Amino acid sequence: MLKLLSSSPIHRLNPAAVPVLRPAAESASPLHRVINSLTAFSRSNRCLGGRVFFCSDSSDGSDHVVDAEVKSAEEIPSKSSAIVSTYPKPEDYLTVLALPLQHRPLFPGFYMPIFVKDPKVLAALQESRERQAPYAGAFLLKDEPDSDPNIVSSSDTEKNVYDLKGKDLFNRLHEVGTLAQISSIQGDQVILIGHRRLRITEMDKAYNKEDEVIKATSFEVISTLRDVLKTSSLWRDHVQTYSKHIGDFTYARLADFGAAISGANKLQCQQVLEELDVYKRLKLTLELVKKEIEISKIQESIAKAIEEKISGEQRRYLLNEQLKAIKKELGLETDDKTALTGKFRERIEPKREKCPAHVLQVIDEELTKLQLLEASSSEFSVTRNYLDWLTALPWGEYSDENFDVTRAQKILDEDHYGLTDVKERILEFIAVGKLRGTSQGKIICLSGPPGVGKTSIGRSIARALNRKFFRFSVGGLADVAEIKGHRRTYIGAMPGKMVQCLKNVGTANPLVLIDEIDKLGRGHAGDPASALLELLDPEQNANFLDHYLDVPIDLSKVKYLIIWEVLFVCTANVVEMIPNPLLDRMEVVAIAGYIADEKMHIARDYLEKTTREACGIKQEQVEVTDAALLALIENYCRESGVRNLQKHIEKIYRKIALQLVRQVETIDATIEQNKGEVDSDETGTTTIQKGNPVLIESSNPEHTDENSKEVDEVETNPPENQSQCVDNKSTDMEVTKEREEDKKIETKTIEKVLVDKSNLDDFVGKPVFHAERIYDQTPTGVVMGLAWTAMGGSTLYIETTLVEEGDGKGALHITGQLGDVMKESAQIAHTVARAILLEKEPENPFFANTKVHLHVPAGATPKDGPSAGCTMTTSLLSLALKKPVKKDLAMTGEVTLTGKILPIGGVKEKTIAARRSEVKTIIFPSANKRDFDELAPNVKEGLDVHFVDDYMQIFDLAFGDEKSHNTQN
């Protein structure tokens, strides 16, 4: 009897439990005799398979008979493998151990290692080897009914196997397994070699080797396997190993081999193993290897797509590396790190004596670091860029300064007209530098309205000093890193504007223009105004530290040191918008703007000349009169600067260019039509060459076009092959023929374009501004004031009128879109006017019984400022006294409740506005006399200016005798 014994679990990669079939004691039972007879029959008849019976004892004591089958002896090749001993034969040992396999079945011809943990099972296997019966049956363990065959959880499976005992475990085995040779036992590891199928109930079915269908199927399997084997060298090794140990391929072995090397799951492989019909087995194997082909094709297409995607970059990279290697081998080029190091050393070597010691130390350390870094690392790029900036800066390299005051005066006069006070301050700066031998590290702030030439003045200063010029605007700047630089650890880090400036100009003493400093922004990235303090403060910029360079840079003017002798010039429109700590570091030079006379000179000497050359127009082709320019300045370009004036002049010359081109095209067309003809008469003619208009005065003024003015004669030098001869004594004109005979030149006259006040509208449109002076003689209750505006300055009328009268109805109504300051000024003026009227005319109850309306014209324009109090008081008194003020009088100043006159601003702008309105008498506060004295003589010329500190002085000037003056020019 054979007993089925339960066993302990095995390793996770192998069967979890091994049921053991052990031989019983010898007996003379009928079953034993049947087995012996079958064995003898199988030995004598090799062509037949033998049916054997394994008897097992169940746990409950009942006997169960299990059929086991072995293949016929013909399936064993005549020359067996050396591993499988030829004697004894496997069929001689019909009593073997049954070993369960958990993951995959064992196919004939393949190895499989398993781990057996049960010492009883190991002892039985070892005993079988010692008894020269080294065989066991390997059967795949069935899955649980509810489990998914595609999902394997080894821990759960092993746990279930632990609980199986006896009959329950035996029932979990598949019916078909493999007769396996026990090749070796090392510890708990057992190596099995599959030999043939083993079925519990049936024998292998016979098949006809000459069957055409089987042959065709086997050929298709072989063909498909050939394609599969091409994709992997591992599968080719399987073929060699299989043929070496098993022998030649048969149809059955071909099916086994194909199923074994396929990637099918365990149930599909078990299905092939259980199939005893060779033809059906071949069909199942063919399906599996066909799937392998499809999987290989999909894998190949994926690999090809990926390869195509990266092959271009890889090929380029490989070619570049090969090129580098070839150049290096030929000595044409060193590697990247050596070349970079050599470049940086070559760049810093000429500056080594002038470069500060601490900078040289940093450069040497970074060069050493560069050699140790891999070229592909991110730190390598950071270090390379850092060295590039450090070695590119102009350490100790200066441009030779020129302190020639006369030359500087000439340059400033060439570039700018007027601005005497600004030029004087610049010349003072240059003179001090000449005496000291070096320029001061001062910060000059040029303030003034737009278009007055602040930026161009900075460029002229650089040219006068022979310094390099660099400009950067900080308008709207809200990031401190733009000034102080970024930390090198950030991606895309760069130094600040100051370091970039030094690299761009290539000298250590440039003139840096910081434009629009009054428009600094402030955002989440810090306060740039505070960052500029270190840059502009002479006490701090000696050790200016850029975050990127991380080495101190001296931007001050220190002699005998390696320094950056940077001269800073700042520009601003409104000084009040500059933060006070920053403004404290600067020396403000105000540029008030230009008066009409200065604009005339600038237009003639600079703007018109530049625009004419830019448009390609010759001087003799156009004439712009002084009246036209003056009208352009007064009616179109009244602002303080000249930028808008330049735009209008460019507009005029563009239209002139269009007119000239149209005239030339008309003349060319006429010449083409009348080519070969010449006109001659008693009046004489004017000749012009085609396509090249020149002006020649007609010999008979009576025949000149009435709509065009006479023009000066312009002599021309015709080519050598053309000549013209005019005989004034004769009525006939002889014309020398050209080299081409029978061709004559059409004669025409081109008109010179004239721009005058009368036709200015045709070029620039309707006037933008109108005369600010509304009245020749201001009526009662109206007084002309002077105001400062962004346009430079203007006259401003204050009007008052009576609304209604009655006892106790005294009140003041204000209009004109006034700000809070001017509203307060109006209330103060009303109080002061009542006090003065009470003093001058005690019997006059005007303000007590009259509602007064005070208005400032141009109600759509917001107005505010502390300089209208005097004008408002005078307007109210004029209405109360019913007496107009003096003719051609304008005033400005703030009045207090006690009648004191306070100083105002914008003296130059207000003076220019008064001159523009042809005002002869101006009243200023006494505190502004110094400001007026600093004005240019041409601004003060022809004005009768009075300076007052008490309102009663204004009262006498406005309403008293014309000869009464307290102070005068």
Side-chain angles (χ1 to χ4, degrees):
M1 296 290 292
L2 298 178
K3 184 180 291 185
L4 178 65
L5 301 177
S6 64
S7 61
S8 61
I10 62 173
H11 194 270
R12 63 181 180 87
L13 296 178
N14 296 284
V18 183
V20 181
L21 298 177
R22 291 184 176 178
E26 295 289 338
S27 64
S29 64
L31 177 62
H32 187 253
R33 289 194 297 270
V34 170
I35 293 175
N36 290 336
S37 64
L38 288 175
T39 302
F41 180 81
S42 62
R43 290 177 181 173
S44 59
N45 300 284
R46 295 289 183 179
C47 61
L48 299 176
R51 178 180 297 273
V52 295
F53 300 90
F54 292 91
C55 298
S56 61
D57 295 336
S58 62
S59 58
D60 58 359
S62 60
D63 292 342
H64 294 272
V65 179
V66 180
D67 293 337
E69 178 270 337
V70 295
K71 294 183 180 179
S72 64
E74 290 184 354
E75 295 184 2
I76 301 176
S78 57
K79 295 182 179 179
S80 302
S81 169
I83 296 178
V84 183
S85 60
T86 58
Y87 183 84
K89 302 295 182 180
E91 54 268 27
D92 294 336
Y93 300 94
L94 300 181
T95 303
V96 293
L97 297 175
L99 301 177
L101 304 180
Q102 178 183 347
H103 298 291
R104 288 177 66 90
L106 173 62
F107 282 90
F110 283 84
Y111 289 89
M112 178 177 286
I114 64 173
F115 291 87
V116 181
K117 300 298 183 181
D118 193 336
K120 295 181 180 180
V121 176
L122 281 175
L125 293 174
Q126 187 66 40
E127 182 182 357
S128 297
R129 283 181 53 81
E130 292 175 356
R131 294 173 59 249
Q132 295 184 351
Y135 292 94
F139 295 89
L140 182 66
L141 192 67
K142 294 179 181 179
D143 291 331
E144 293 183 0
D146 298 333
S147 64
D148 188 349
N150 293 321
I151 300 177
V152 179
S153 179
S154 59
S155 59
D156 295 340
T157 305
E158 290 178 3
K159 184 178 179 181
N160 295 335
V161 172
Y162 296 157
D163 300 333
L164 295 176
K165 303 293 182 179
K167 182 179 179 182
D168 294 335
L169 179 60
F170 187 77
N171 292 334
R172 287 282 301 275
L173 296 178
H174 282 276
E175 293 181 354
V176 177
T178 305
L179 182 65
Q181 178 185 358
I182 304 172
S183 176
S184 65
I185 301 177
Q186 296 179 357
D188 59 352
Q189 186 185 50
V190 180
I191 306 298
L192 301 178
I193 302 177
H195 281 278
R196 62 196 64 185
R197 280 172 175 75
L198 188 66
R199 186 184 180 99
I200 295 175
T201 58
E202 297 291 342
M203 297 174 53
D204 283 347
K205 295 181 179 181
Y207 64 94
N208 185 7
K209 295 182 179 180
E210 302 299 327
D211 186 270
E212 297 297 333
V213 176
I214 295 179
K215 285 185 178 181
T217 306
S218 64
F219 291 157
E220 183 63 22
V221 172
I222 293 173
S223 175
T224 307
L225 280 175
R226 185 180 293 109
D227 295 335
V228 172
L229 295 175
K230 290 180 181 178
T231 61
S232 175
S233 59
L234 178 61
W235 290 340
R236 291 194 293 270
D237 293 339
H238 279 314
V239 176
Q240 297 175 359
T241 304
Y242 190 93
S243 59
K244 177 179 179 182
H245 295 293
I246 301 302
D248 297 334
F249 279 97
T250 62
Y251 295 149
R253 290 175 183 173
L254 180 63
D256 292 343
F257 178 81
I261 68 171
S262 69
N265 60 39
K266 62 180 184 179
L267 293 184
Q268 292 174 329
C269 293
Q270 178 66 27
Q271 185 179 3
V272 175
L273 185 64
E274 292 178 355
E275 183 58 56
L276 301 181
D277 190 315
V278 175
Y279 169 66
K280 293 181 179 180
R281 192 189 307 171
L282 283 172
K283 289 180 63 177
L284 292 174
T285 299
L286 182 59
E287 292 180 3
L288 297 182
V289 293
K290 286 290 185 181
K291 290 181 180 179
E292 286 295 320
I293 287 294
E294 294 300 324
I295 293 174
S296 299
K297 289 181 180 179
I298 295 173
Q299 181 181 359
E300 183 180 357
S301 63
I302 295 173
K304 185 177 181 181
I306 297 175
E307 183 179 359
E308 290 177 353
K309 185 176 180 181
I310 65 175
S311 61
E313 292 295 331
Q314 288 181 339
R315 185 171 182 272
R316 188 179 297 107
Y317 173 78
L318 291 174
L319 290 175
N320 285 330
E321 291 299 320
Q322 291 175 0
L323 182 61
K324 291 179 183 178
I326 292 172
K327 288 185 176 181
K328 185 177 180 180
E329 193 69 24
L330 296 176
L332 301 177
E333 183 181 292
T334 57
D335 59 12
D336 289 343
K337 291 193 289 187
T338 306
L340 282 173
T341 304
K343 182 184 74 172
F344 293 143
R345 293 189 184 279
E346 182 181 354
R347 186 186 292 176
I348 198 63
E349 196 60 36
K351 313 172 189 175
R352 185 169 289 275
E353 296 181 359
K354 303 176 183 179
C355 189
H358 66 277
V359 177
L360 286 176
Q361 181 181 358
V362 172
I363 292 176
D364 292 338
E365 290 175 355
E366 293 296 322
L367 286 172
T368 304
K369 178 181 176 182
L370 188 69
Q371 287 293 332
L372 300 177
L373 293 172
E374 290 293 334
S376 59
S377 66
S378 59
E379 186 68 18
F380 182 85
S381 300
V382 173
T383 306
R384 179 189 59 194
N385 294 336
Y386 182 50
L387 282 169
D388 187 36
W389 279 100
L390 276 180
T391 57
L393 292 180
W395 301 100
E397 297 181 2
Y398 307 99
S399 58
D400 297 331
E401 285 190 290
N402 192 322
F403 296 107
D404 189 343
V405 177
T406 305
R407 175 178 175 272
Q409 177 77 58
K410 181 180 178 182
I411 290 175
L412 292 174
D413 290 340
E414 286 178 358
D415 295 344
H416 299 86
Y417 182 84
L419 304 178
T420 306
D421 51 346
V422 180
K423 293 179 181 178
E424 191 70 18
R425 178 63 189 88
I426 295 170
L427 293 176
E428 292 172 3
F429 172 83
I430 296 175
V432 172
K434 184 173 184 179
L435 294 177
R436 294 184 58 195
T438 179
S439 59
Q440 293 175 299
K442 294 289 184 180
I443 296 93
I444 300 175
C445 180
L446 302 175
S447 68
V452 296
K454 299 184 294 296
T455 304
S456 58
I457 288 174
R459 187 176 287 104
S460 298
I461 297 174
R463 192 158 72 94
L465 290 172
N466 195 33
R467 286 192 176 209
K468 297 288 186 180
F469 178 77
F470 183 84
R471 171 193 171 272
F472 71 93
S473 176
V474 294
L477 185 67
D479 190 355
V480 174
E482 292 292 328
I483 299 171
K484 296 277 291 179
H486 304 81
R487 297 291 181 187
R488 293 198 304 274
T489 54
Y490 297 146
I491 297 175
M494 288 186 65
K497 287 290 186 182
M498 199 60 246
V499 177
Q500 296 180 37
C501 155
L502 297 174
K503 181 181 178 181
N504 291 340
V505 299
T507 61
N509 60 337
L511 187 143
V512 179
L513 180 72
I514 304 177
D515 216 351
E516 309 294 350
I517 200 170
D518 59 328
K519 299 177 182 62
L520 276 169
R522 186 170 186 174
H524 67 281
D527 183 11
S530 301
L532 281 175
L533 293 178
E534 183 183 0
L535 182 65
L536 299 180
D537 191 345
E539 299 298 328
Q540 299 183 41
N541 62 12
N543 293 299
F544 177 75
L545 185 66
D546 185 90
H547 290 161
Y548 183 86
L549 291 186
D550 207 21
V551 292
I553 301 178
D554 193 344
L555 300 176
S556 65
K557 184 64 178 176
V558 182
K559 202 172 182 180
Y560 306 120
L561 294 178
I562 302 300
I563 60 170
W564 305 100
E565 300 175 354
V566 180
L567 176 61
F568 293 100
V569 177
C570 305
T571 67
N573 296 124
V574 183
V575 177
E576 289 75 17
M577 298 297 294
I578 303 175
N580 288 332
L582 192 58
L583 183 63
D584 185 60
R585 269 79 175 176
M586 305 176 187
E587 182 177 349
V588 179
V589 178
I591 305 176
Y594 302 99
I595 62 174
D597 294 342
E598 291 174 336
K599 287 186 177 181
M600 282 289 294
H601 284 88
I602 293 172
R604 282 293 185 202
D605 300 339
Y606 301 93
L607 304 181
E608 189 182 10
K609 180 181 177 181
T610 303
T611 305
R612 187 170 56 241
E613 293 176 354
C615 293
I617 299 174
K618 297 180 180 179
Q619 185 176 1
E620 61 270 12
Q621 293 177 321
V622 65
E623 179 183 355
V624 181
T625 64
D626 292 342
L629 283 179
L630 184 60
L632 188 66
I633 293 169
E634 293 290 342
N635 300 331
Y636 297 86
C637 311
R638 194 175 288 179
E639 67 283 342
S640 300
V642 293
R643 184 176 292 126
N644 193 36
L645 178 60
Q646 181 181 4
K647 293 178 182 177
H648 280 76
I649 292 176
E650 291 173 351
K651 187 175 182 181
I652 291 173
Y653 272 87
R654 286 197 301 267
K655 291 187 177 296
I656 292 173
L658 180 59
Q659 290 186 14
L660 292 175
V661 170
R662 283 177 174 172
Q663 290 188 43
V664 171
E665 290 179 352
T666 302
I667 293 174
D668 290 346
T670 305
I671 292 176
E672 289 293 337
Q673 292 176 2
N674 303 299
K675 187 180 293 184
E677 298 180 1
V678 64
D679 296 333
S680 60
D681 52 25
E682 296 179 355
T683 62
T685 59
T686 301
T687 304
I688 178 171
Q689 296 179 5
K690 176 189 175 189
N692 187 18
V694 294
L695 302 173
I696 303 177
E697 185 181 7
S698 174
S699 60
N700 191 345
E702 295 179 358
H703 293 270
T704 304
D705 190 348
E706 295 179 358
N707 296 327
S708 63
K709 298 185 63 177
E710 293 185 22
V711 295
D712 297 333
E713 180 178 357
V714 180
E715 296 182 357
T716 59
N717 297 321
E720 295 180 358
N721 61 345
Q722 297 181 358
S723 62
Q724 181 180 21
C725 193
V726 180
D727 189 356
N728 293 329
K729 298 180 181 180
S730 173
T731 58
D732 297 331
M733 182 183 68
E734 297 179 0
V735 180
T736 304
K737 294 183 178 180
E738 296 178 348
R739 182 171 297 179
E740 298 179 2
E741 296 181 357
D742 299 330
K743 290 186 179 181
K744 301 176 182 178
I745 301 176
E746 175 72 19
T747 60
K748 291 289 180 182
T749 302
I750 188 170
E751 298 180 2
K752 183 176 184 179
V753 180
L754 176 67
V755 180
D756 200 0
K757 183 178 181 179
S758 59
N759 65 346
L760 183 63
D761 296 355
D762 299 335
F763 293 91
V764 291
K766 298 298 180 182
V768 178
F769 300 99
H770 300 279
E772 292 181 350
R773 184 162 183 171
I774 305 175
Y775 311 101
D776 291 335
Q777 169 62 50
T778 53
T780 300
V782 179
V783 180
M784 180 186 292
L786 298 174
W788 180 93
T789 67
M791 306 298 290
S794 66
T795 57
L796 190 68
Y797 285 98
I798 305 295
E799 300 178 344
T800 55
T801 185
L802 185 149
V803 178
E804 61 176 332
E805 291 182 322
D807 294 340
K809 289 190 176 182
L812 177 65
H813 180 60
I814 306 169
T815 58
Q817 199 173 350
L818 307 181
D820 292 338
V821 177
M822 288 193 71
K823 288 178 181 179
E824 291 179 358
S825 297
Q827 296 293 337
I828 295 171
H830 188 257
T831 303
V832 173
R834 292 186 67 170
I836 294 175
L837 182 64
L838 182 62
E839 179 184 350
K840 295 293 184 180
E841 296 181 2
E843 303 297 331
N844 190 344
F846 178 82
F847 290 109
N849 300 327
T850 306
K851 183 177 181 181
V852 178
H853 183 181
L854 185 147
H855 176 67
V856 182
T861 305
K863 311 170 192 68
D864 201 10
S867 62
C870 294
T871 312
M872 290 179 174
T873 304
T874 306
S875 176
L876 290 168
L877 288 172
S878 174
L879 182 65
L881 296 172
K882 297 180 181 180
K883 184 179 180 180
V885 298
K886 177 184 174 182
K887 185 180 180 181
D888 295 336
L889 174 67
M891 64 186 69
T892 181
E894 180 66 4
V895 65
T896 66
L897 284 174
T898 59
K900 295 298 181 182
I901 307 302
L902 302 180
I904 48 87
V907 172
K908 181 177 181 181
E909 289 85 351
K910 293 177 179 180
T911 304
I912 293 173
R915 287 180 59 88
R916 187 166 56 240
S917 297
E918 299 180 353
V919 173
K920 303 299 182 184
T921 305
I922 305 176
I923 299 176
F924 281 130
S926 296
N928 292 111
K929 188 176 188 305
R930 184 189 63 178
D931 300 328
F932 184 81
D933 292 340
E934 292 178 355
L935 298 180
N938 60 339
V939 178
K940 300 183 290 185
E941 184 180 358
L943 295 177
D944 183 14
V945 182
H946 301 270
F947 299 95
V948 298
D949 53 15
D950 188 83
Y951 183 78
M952 294 309 298
Q953 297 173 278
I954 298 177
F955 184 87
D956 295 337
L957 289 169
F959 303 106
D961 189 359
E962 294 185 1
K963 296 183 179 179
S964 61
H965 301 288
N966 293 328
T967 9
Q968 61 182 3
N969 189 1

